[in-house]
Amino acid sequence: MSKIEIDKERCKGCALCTVSCPKEQIRIGKEINRQGYFYVVWDDNGSCTGCAICGEICPDVAIKVWKDK
Amino acid sequence: MELVFKRPECLIDVPFHFCPGCHHGIAHRLVAEAIDHFKIREKTIGVASVGCSVFMYDYFNIDVLEAPHGRASAVASGVKRAKKDAIVFTIQGDGDLGAIGIAEGIHTANRGENITLIFANNGIYGMTGGQMAPTTLLGQKTTTSPYGRDFTYDGYPIRMAEMMATLEGSAFVARVAVNNPGNLMKAKKAVRKAFQMQVEEMGFSFVEILMSCPTNWGLSSLEANRRVGEEMIPYFPLGILKERKMADYL
Amino acid sequence: MNNGFEKILVRGNEAVAMGAIDAGCLLFFGYPITPQNEIPEYLSKHLPPLGGEFIQAESEIASINLLLGASATGARAMSSSSSPGISLMQEGLSYMAGSELPVVIVNISRSGPGLGGISASQGDYFQATRGGGHGDYRMIVLAPSTVQEMYDLTCLAFDLSDKYRNPAMILGDALIGQMKEPLIRQKPEKMDLPPKDWALTGARGRKPNKIKSLYLQEGELTEHNWKLYQKYERMKKEEVRFETVNAEDARFVIVAFGSMARVSKTAMEMAREEGMKVGLFRPITLFPYPEKGLHDISKQVKKFLTVELNTGQMVEDVKLSVDRDAQVYFYGKPPGALPPPEEILEEIKKYY
């Protein structure tokens, strides 16, 4: 299945990815990273299509995306 | 499983200093992707203007030169005049280009300097803490327009892309935004097109990118992102304003 | 003919342009302003056939920044202007000193302050020798007093600016810029200079180069300022140039540079004819100032007359240089009128 990987230390909790993911799979987490930001987490329910919108919209290049061909 | 999205090679793997939700990081990545796409990293020279984008030399894996505030387009032109085979670009903010550097910007375009100018328009002075900029909207409150921008004192927000498009020397002029996936894809194409124009020596290329500034707009990153669409785009319409098909002087 | 080089009658400004070309400078960015226009005019004609680039920019501010970009690639590049234009360039010069960029700037001074006039003046001495822009830096400042020196010192300026990675200024004036004199256009032999591996050429096969003057990390800027300071100290040791005439047996020495040294020389000769032992000390480098040269002379000579085309600027450096027991007199002529030698002779007689 397609998947994403969030670099939790680079995330600044801006949440742009949470409103952009077509499958609404990303949300602000409950834990903070070293910088004190609530980093986002990915609720993998198998519906990720690897569209990479989250990666594109992230201002901090904190998300990698794999697509299942 | 194929890795379809990762950090461009030309973008050094270090954290950005930009505020959460600031679109500068996206702009930097779009430029880096364009440089990777045309495989020109080893001959690209960046010119850092003075503003939030001043730390370009920490982020791009290329030679970078720092320009005085407002003069990046002239400095970039000087680099290109001295080194024709280099790919030269600069990222200037609305204060750097729209205020102090507007003369240099206009004459760089008018001379058709074969460089790429990325104009980061967030309608405010970010680095210095939120003062009014030439693209601050009417009525918008800033630290130096506390009662809201009033044209009788502060004039009107300047539409830079339209201005650049009137100059014969401009080969490619576009205004884009990155506030939603659709706009972002168009922005990616426009930035790539701008670098393509330079690679093909078509002349001056200019991309104005509307950006949010959550910290100095006093909004959350999501509210700021929405404001780009609701308030900035209506006054600064998106689109390709000029695209020279074939170099006149070929 | 002079050892294979023809002697040509040339205007001072053109001699500067020829010197730049012969020093391998193929890039010029400038803006029209009297009395230096012959420099851009000459180069706009002669650079293109050599594959060079001549750009008339929209202002002196644009010119100095085009220059900053060009010199960052390691190419030899130059700009020229006159007093008001040089004032507009000061920020750029400060950036170049801070970024350690070699560049040559020519100031064919006119009279000030403000719009002033277009006649010769030495009123830019402080601006030139004390850095001129913001921050703690200096420029190498060379003061030609003949058309030949306009050529020779321009060539030298390129070598020195490369040697020290620092802006170098030719401080001429309307008189020397506009006058015509014979010139022997003989290319100086190349000074051996370090390679420019700092230059921005595209990061191929090496780590990226950064050229900047912003230092925000703790202590970085302090260290950088001391590094620049050491550079200026080295200039003071190695690059001082001056000329003395009849100083060996002199009891009285005139100190003057540039066009005023010419007038003073005539006055000195007139004084000699009247039996007065007068000498001339002519600084060629205004920075680094020839302090030691003057100090040595002041061990015997106790009377100095500084002659300037302003109301007193270099006279301060003369006072700083000479022995405490030496007397420094001053004869200044604010721009607009040139003092004839007779006037200076009168001053000599007053204090001799």
Coordinates of all heavy atoms in Angstrom, one line a residue, chain C residues 76-114:
Chain C
R76 N 37.3 40.5 -13.4 CA 37.7 41.9 -13.1 C 36.6 42.8 -13.7 O 36.2 42.7 -14.8 CB 39.1 42.2 -13.8 CG 40.2 41.6 -13.0 CD 41.6 42.1 -13.4 NE 42.5 41.9 -12.3 CZ 43.8 42.2 -12.4 NH1 44.3 42.7 -13.5 NH2 44.6 42.0 -11.3
A77 N 36.2 43.7 -12.8 CA 35.1 44.6 -13.2 C 35.3 46.0 -12.6 O 36.0 46.1 -11.6 CB 33.8 44.0 -12.8
M78 N 34.7 47.0 -13.2 CA 35.0 48.4 -12.7 C 33.7 49.2 -12.9 O 32.8 48.9 -13.7 CB 36.1 49.0 -13.6 CG 36.5 50.4 -13.1 SD 37.9 51.0 -14.0 CE 37.1 52.0 -15.3
S79 N 33.7 50.2 -12.0 CA 32.7 51.3 -12.2 C 33.3 52.6 -12.0 O 34.3 52.7 -11.3 CB 31.5 51.1 -11.3 OG 30.5 52.1 -11.6
S80 N 32.8 53.7 -12.6 CA 33.3 55.0 -12.3 C 32.2 56.0 -12.1 O 31.0 55.7 -12.6 CB 34.2 55.5 -13.5 OG 33.3 55.7 -14.6
S81 N 32.4 57.0 -11.4 CA 31.4 58.0 -11.2 C 32.1 59.3 -10.7 O 33.3 59.4 -10.8 CB 30.4 57.6 -10.2 OG 29.3 58.5 -10.1
S82 N 31.3 60.2 -10.2 CA 31.8 61.5 -9.6 C 31.1 61.8 -8.4 O 29.9 61.6 -8.3 CB 31.7 62.6 -10.6 OG 32.1 63.8 -10.1
S83 N 31.7 62.3 -7.4 CA 31.3 62.6 -6.1 C 29.8 62.3 -5.7 O 29.6 61.4 -4.9 CB 31.6 64.1 -5.8 OG 33.0 64.3 -6.2
P84 N 28.8 63.0 -6.3 CA 27.4 62.6 -5.8 C 27.1 61.1 -6.1 O 26.5 60.4 -5.3 CB 26.5 63.5 -6.7 CG 27.4 64.7 -7.1 CD 28.8 64.1 -7.2
G85 N 27.6 60.6 -7.3 CA 27.3 59.2 -7.6 C 28.1 58.3 -6.7 O 27.6 57.3 -6.3
I86 N 29.3 58.7 -6.3 CA 30.1 57.9 -5.4 C 29.4 57.8 -4.1 O 29.4 56.8 -3.4 CB 31.5 58.5 -5.3 CG1 32.3 58.5 -6.6 CG2 32.3 57.7 -4.2 CD1 32.6 57.1 -7.1
S87 N 28.7 58.9 -3.7 CA 28.0 58.9 -2.4 C 26.9 57.8 -2.5 O 26.7 57.0 -1.6 CB 27.3 60.2 -2.1 OG 28.3 61.2 -1.8
L88 N 26.3 57.7 -3.6 CA 25.2 56.7 -3.8 C 25.8 55.3 -3.7 O 25.1 54.3 -3.5 CB 24.5 56.9 -5.1 CG 23.6 58.1 -5.2 CD1 22.9 58.2 -6.6 CD2 22.5 58.1 -4.2
M89 N 27.1 55.1 -4.0 CA 27.7 53.8 -4.1 C 28.2 53.3 -2.8 O 28.7 52.2 -2.6 CB 28.8 53.8 -5.1 CG 28.4 54.0 -6.5 SD 29.9 54.0 -7.6 CE 29.1 53.9 -9.3
Q90 N 28.1 54.2 -1.8 CA 28.9 53.8 -0.5 C 28.3 52.6 0.1 O 29.1 51.7 0.6 CB 28.7 55.0 0.5 CG 29.5 56.2 0.1 CD 31.0 56.0 -0.2 OE1 31.6 55.2 0.4 NE2 31.5 56.6 -1.3
E91 N 27.0 52.3 0.1 CA 26.5 51.1 0.8 C 27.1 49.9 0.0 O 27.6 48.9 0.7 CB 25.0 51.1 0.7 CG 24.4 49.9 1.5 CD 23.0 49.5 1.0 OE1 22.7 49.8 -0.2 OE2 22.2 49.0 1.8
G92 N 27.1 49.9 -1.3 CA 27.6 48.8 -2.1 C 29.1 48.6 -1.8 O 29.5 47.4 -1.6
L93 N 29.8 49.7 -1.6 CA 31.3 49.5 -1.3 C 31.5 48.9 0.1 O 32.3 48.0 0.2 CB 32.0 50.9 -1.4 CG 32.1 51.5 -2.8 CD1 32.5 52.9 -2.8 CD2 33.0 50.6 -3.7
S94 N 30.6 49.3 1.0 CA 30.7 48.7 2.3 C 30.4 47.2 2.2 O 31.2 46.3 2.8 CB 29.7 49.3 3.3 OG 29.6 48.6 4.5
Y95 N 29.5 46.8 1.4 CA 29.2 45.3 1.3 C 30.3 44.6 0.6 O 30.7 43.5 1.0 CB 27.9 45.2 0.4 CG 26.6 45.1 1.2 CD1 26.1 46.3 1.7 CD2 25.9 44.0 1.4 CE1 24.9 46.3 2.4 CE2 24.7 43.9 2.1 CZ 24.2 45.1 2.6 OH 23.0 45.1 3.3
M96 N 31.0 45.3 -0.3 CA 32.1 44.6 -1.0 C 33.3 44.4 -0.1 O 33.9 43.4 -0.1 CB 32.5 45.4 -2.2 CG 31.5 45.4 -3.4 SD 32.1 46.4 -4.7 CE 30.6 46.5 -5.7
A97 N 33.5 45.5 0.8 CA 34.6 45.3 1.8 C 34.2 44.2 2.7 O 35.1 43.3 3.0 CB 34.8 46.6 2.5
G98 N 33.0 44.2 3.2 CA 32.5 43.2 4.1 C 32.5 41.8 3.5 O 32.8 40.8 4.2
S99 N 32.2 41.7 2.2 CA 32.2 40.4 1.6 C 33.6 40.0 1.0 O 33.7 39.0 0.3 CB 31.2 40.4 0.4 OG 29.9 40.9 0.9
E100 N 34.5 40.9 1.1 CA 35.9 40.7 0.6 C 35.9 40.5 -0.9 O 36.4 39.5 -1.4 CB 36.6 39.5 1.3 CG 36.8 39.8 2.8 CD 37.8 38.8 3.4 OE1 39.0 39.1 3.4 OE2 37.3 37.7 3.9
L101 N 35.3 41.4 -1.6 CA 35.3 41.3 -3.1 C 36.2 42.4 -3.7 O 36.2 43.5 -3.3 CB 33.8 41.6 -3.6 CG 32.8 40.5 -3.4 CD1 31.4 40.9 -3.8 CD2 33.3 39.3 -4.3
P102 N 37.1 41.9 -4.6 CA 38.0 42.8 -5.3 C 37.2 43.6 -6.3 O 36.4 43.0 -7.1 CB 39.0 41.9 -6.0 CG 38.2 40.6 -6.2 CD 37.2 40.5 -5.1
V103 N 37.4 44.9 -6.4 CA 36.7 45.7 -7.4 C 37.4 47.1 -7.5 O 38.1 47.5 -6.5 CB 35.2 45.9 -6.9 CG1 35.1 47.0 -5.9 CG2 34.3 46.1 -8.1
V104 N 37.3 47.7 -8.6 CA 37.9 49.0 -8.8 C 36.9 50.1 -9.0 O 35.9 49.9 -9.9 CB 38.9 49.0 -10.0 CG1 39.4 50.4 -10.3 CG2 40.1 48.1 -9.7
I105 N 37.0 51.1 -8.3 CA 36.0 52.2 -8.3 C 36.8 53.5 -8.7 O 37.8 53.7 -8.1 CB 35.3 52.4 -6.9 CG1 34.3 51.3 -6.7 CG2 34.7 53.8 -6.8 CD1 33.2 51.4 -7.6
V106 N 36.3 54.3 -9.6 CA 37.0 55.5 -10.0 C 36.1 56.7 -9.6 O 34.9 56.7 -10.0 CB 37.2 55.5 -11.5 CG1 38.0 56.8 -11.9 CG2 38.0 54.3 -11.9
N107 N 36.7 57.6 -8.8 CA 35.9 58.8 -8.5 C 36.6 60.0 -9.2 O 37.7 60.4 -8.7 CB 35.8 59.0 -7.0 CG 35.1 60.3 -6.6 OD1 34.6 61.0 -7.5 ND2 35.1 60.7 -5.4
I108 N 36.1 60.6 -10.2 CA 36.6 61.8 -10.8 C 35.9 62.9 -10.1 O 34.8 63.4 -10.6 CB 36.4 61.8 -12.3 CG1 37.0 60.5 -13.0 CG2 37.0 63.1 -13.0 CD1 38.4 60.3 -12.8
S109 N 36.5 63.3 -9.0 CA 35.7 64.2 -8.1 C 35.3 65.5 -8.7 O 36.0 66.1 -9.6 CB 36.6 64.6 -6.9 OG 37.1 63.4 -6.3
R110 N 34.2 66.0 -8.3 CA 33.7 67.3 -8.7 C 33.4 68.0 -7.4 O 33.6 67.5 -6.3 CB 32.4 67.2 -9.5 CG 31.3 66.4 -8.9 CD 30.1 66.2 -9.8 NE 29.2 67.3 -9.7 CZ 28.2 67.5 -10.6 NH1 28.1 66.7 -11.6 NH2 27.3 68.5 -10.5
S111 N 33.0 69.3 -7.5 CA 32.9 70.1 -6.2 C 31.5 69.8 -5.6 O 30.5 69.6 -6.2 CB 33.1 71.6 -6.6 OG 32.8 71.8 -7.9
G112 N 31.6 69.9 -4.2 CA 30.4 69.7 -3.4 C 30.3 70.7 -2.4 O 31.0 71.7 -2.4
P113 N 29.5 70.5 -1.3 CA 28.6 69.4 -1.2 C 27.4 69.6 -2.0 O 27.2 70.6 -2.7 CB 28.3 69.4 0.3 CG 28.5 70.8 0.8 CD 29.6 71.4 -0.1
G114 N 26.5 68.6 -2.0 CA 25.3 68.7 -2.8 C 25.6 68.7 -4.2 O 26.5 68.0 -4.7

